[in-house]
Amino acid sequence: MSDTVLNSFTLESLRDLLQTVGYRVEMVTNADMPLLRSSTAGFAFDIRPGNRLANEDGGYVDFTFSAWLNIEGELPLDVVNRWNALRRFGRLQVVPGYLAMTMDVSFIGGVMPNHVRAQVEIWDHLVQALVPYLREELQKLDTVKTVDAPVVESEAQAPVEPRAAAEARVA
């Protein structure tokens, strides 16, 4: 990586950076908003640009990683809150019918390319840790309560790996 300080990015430059670290990334448009789409561990995720620079065409100063999982049944908020308390960067949020995991990345003040790579690695680790975490936490609940099982599944565009679906039994 170069020693150049990055103060902004374009979707093309961010796509290229992700591709250099091994991600397959495509540019897509969702509701007239351009974004990047990729996946890791069977989970599709989006990279949504945030704030634009006033003096540059196509330049952004931040973006958000986001992955959406379908929820069938109920997911106890204690499980979501525990994740948020234990992990510093990625956050979970329940939106009716979905579990969203997000992580913001900022270029404000200037960052080195290695900083952006590190943020990508943190995101990757968080995504890969999510399903095992959900399985473990929901199995703990299963030992206490046994009722019908809600299922958490990836909202992935690509085929989901078997470990991308977590089952839970809660009241």
Side-chain angles (χ1 to χ4, degrees), residues 28-133:
V28 297
T29 302
N30 187 1
D32 294 328
M33 181 179 155
L35 56 97
L36 299 175
R37 181 159 291 147
S38 188
S39 66
T40 185
F43 283 102
F45 63 88
D46 292 340
I47 302 167
R48 298 179 181 274
N51 296 297
R52 284 188 178 271
L53 287 176
N55 60 352
E56 268 188 57
D57 288 333
Y60 297 93
V61 294
D62 57 51
F63 66 87
T64 301
F65 287 110
S66 65
W68 293 77
L69 309 171
N70 286 328
I71 300 174
E72 295 176 10
E74 289 187 36
L75 179 64
L77 289 180
D78 287 350
V79 172
V80 173
N81 292 337
R82 192 169 12 269
W83 169 276
N84 290 336
L86 295 173
R87 283 161 185 87
R88 186 171 176 194
F89 299 105
R91 293 289 173 244
L92 291 181
Q93 173 182 335
V94 174
V95 178
Y98 295 95
L99 178 65
M101 183 165 68
T102 61
M103 184 177 120
D104 293 328
V105 178
S106 175
F107 283 50
I108 295 175
V111 298
M112 301 299 285
N114 282 339
H115 171 77
V116 181
R117 278 183 92 162
Q119 297 303 301
V120 171
E121 290 175 16
I122 289 169
W123 172 254
D124 191 76
H125 290 294
L126 288 169
V127 170
Q128 292 191 37
L130 180 59
V131 168
Y133 168 81

Side-chain angles (χ1 to χ4, degrees), residues 3-4 8 14 23 33-34 39-40 70 72 82 86-87 91 93 108 132 138 146 148 151 154 157 169:
D3 291 333
T4 305
S8 66
L14 189 56
Y23 285 89
M33 181 179 155
S39 66
T40 185
N70 286 328
E72 295 176 10
R82 192 169 12 269
L86 295 173
R87 283 161 185 87
R91 293 289 173 244
Q93 173 182 335
I108 295 175
L138 296 172
T146 54
D148 290 331
V151 177
S154 172
Q157 301 283 331
R169 297 183 194 282

Side-chain angles (χ1 to χ4, degrees), residues 149-164:
V151 177
V152 179
E153 295 177 343
S154 172
E155 183 70 5
Q157 301 283 331
V160 178
E161 295 176 15
R163 70 179 189 188

